[in-house]
Amino acid sequence: MKLKQRVVVLCAVLFLLGLAKVFLLDGGEGSAVSRRDLRAFRKMEANLALAKGARLTHTLQSPWEVAAQWVGPREVYPDETPELAAVLNALSTARVERADVGYKGTQLKALLVLDGGQKVVFKPKRYNRDYVVEGEPYAGYDRHNAEIAAFHLDRILGFRRAPLVVGRFINLRTEIKPVATDQLLSTFLMHGNNTCFYGKCYYCRETEPACAEGDVMEGSITLWLPDVWPLQKHRHPWGRTYREGKLARWEYDESYCEAVKKMPPYDAGPRLLDVIDTAMFDYLIGNADRHHYESFQDDGGASMLILLDNAKSFGNPALDERSILAPLYQCCMVRVSTWNRLNILKGGVLSSAMRQATAHDPAFSVLTGPHLAALDRRLNGVLATVRQCIETQGADNTLIEDRMNLPHS
């Protein structure tokens, strides 16, 4: 066979192998990699529904000690967590020992200490479930139900990078005010028969308090990460300027990802793929407000990108803000495991899994029908974006094997 013919045959074989890789991965069950990911999904799916009122019965440890032992460089909780329902139940029922204004930030929150000394963040309900937040994709108050839904989406996607969140109803008069600091107490007021507070934050105003129905306020409780895992804050490379008429570089430079790849910690290790995972996560929930992100300190770039502060999500179910996906469509890279999980979730599986995962929550129903439908619709958009990358540059350059599994310290 002549050299030219051999080259043609070799190119044809490589092309067919690339098509086969796409077909096997997209099909969900055709390859060893896909079968492994499918088994992982089935395991997660079997544990998706959480029992109400669960309690720890097989250990003398507190729920907080159990949850603290789960945390590692690449996960907030492991893939098998039979105690998860009990920990979430404790978060939603444990006695409040102390209440204070929230830590630094732009949005209203309270810092609570639960029985046993566990710190948590309480975000109050500001909107009814069917309220649509108009305007910019990052507009409006924080949505407490968005924090709950985002945590369960993190479970469904298999990322396990979001702190635990659960809904809770708190009596402000009997549970909070008796143990509140003077600083928090000074922000309480009455609107008619409803107890309200406005806290302390950049945008907190006495004229815009959060109000209970009577004395009982619905909100979300987020478990504080263990102090032995201090956080480091990073500016997101695809952050917005939040200035009218001023664009960030990524908004006009289509080759921006090549510059990011040359900057630590994105030039090596898992961080860039974490950013891309997060972009898909944020697009699904409609979160265009991740201007910074956190990792664990002194990690050498190996720590996961922790999915904190997801409350600017699920504001407008009709808005699909494609710019959130910029890290994906500019870098055209995605983990094979993420790609496989997303394919398993298409065809309505994602919204069904979200319904099942949140059915136990005290704040159920967490999402309305339009927001659940938006999850499925946006998932199709993510899959189409990855397919376009594969068509443009090939499967081998788009689908990246990265199964870093660092041991716990």
Side-chain angles (χ1 to χ4, degrees), residues 90-112:
L91 285 171
S92 66
T93 59
R95 179 176 57 86
V96 180
E97 292 184 339
R98 188 171 184 270
D100 199 356
V101 295
Y103 56 93
K104 292 180 181 179
T106 62
Q107 299 290 313
L108 173 60
K109 61 183 78 71
L111 180 61
L112 309 181

Side-chain angles (χ1 to χ4, degrees), residues 113-279:
V113 178
L114 302 183
D115 186 24
Q118 177 61 53
K119 288 188 289 187
V120 299
V121 176
F122 176 75
K123 293 190 177 182
K125 175 184 176 181
R126 304 300 298 257
Y127 301 112
N128 290 328
R129 293 291 193 276
D130 57 356
Y131 184 88
V132 175
V133 180
E134 303 286 357
E136 298 291 344
Y138 44 82
Y141 300 122
D142 275 0
R143 277 77 77 177
H144 75 291
N145 59 309
E147 290 281 14
I148 302 167
F151 162 64
H152 290 289
L153 179 63
D154 176 68
R155 294 175 61 209
I156 294 166
L157 293 175
F159 291 165
R160 305 194 300 279
R161 302 170 202 158
L164 276 58
V165 184
V166 69
R168 178 162 178 167
F169 289 85
I170 287 184
N171 189 306
L172 297 179
R173 180 176 58 84
T174 62
E175 294 185 81
I176 300 299
K177 294 182 76 172
V179 296
T181 62
D182 291 340
Q183 191 172 25
L184 179 59
L185 271 178
S186 67
T187 72
F188 274 79
L189 49 89
M190 297 296 295
H191 274 194
N193 294 322
N194 298 324
T195 304
C196 312
F197 78 102
Y198 57 91
K200 185 177 180 181
C201 68
Y202 186 81
Y203 290 122
C204 290
R205 303 285 186 273
E206 185 175 354
T207 54
E208 300 179 16
C211 292
E213 293 187 11
D215 292 323
V216 178
M217 175 173 279
E218 178 184 334
S220 65
I221 296 285
T222 302
L223 183 66
W224 197 272
L225 289 170
D227 291 337
V228 295
W229 292 95
L231 300 182
Q232 180 176 352
K233 194 169 188 176
H234 308 265
R235 183 176 295 279
H236 196 298
W238 277 269
R240 301 173 188 276
T241 66
Y242 297 92
R243 298 180 192 172
E244 188 175 352
K246 182 174 177 58
L247 297 177
R249 178 179 169 184
W250 63 267
E251 294 180 277
Y252 60 82
D253 183 358
E254 286 300 316
S255 65
Y256 176 69
C257 183
E258 295 307 310
V260 174
K261 289 178 181 178
K262 298 174 183 177
M263 303 184 299
Y266 312 105
D267 56 345
R271 187 64 58 80
L272 181 57
L273 288 170
D274 280 0
V275 168
I276 295 168
D277 277 350
T278 302

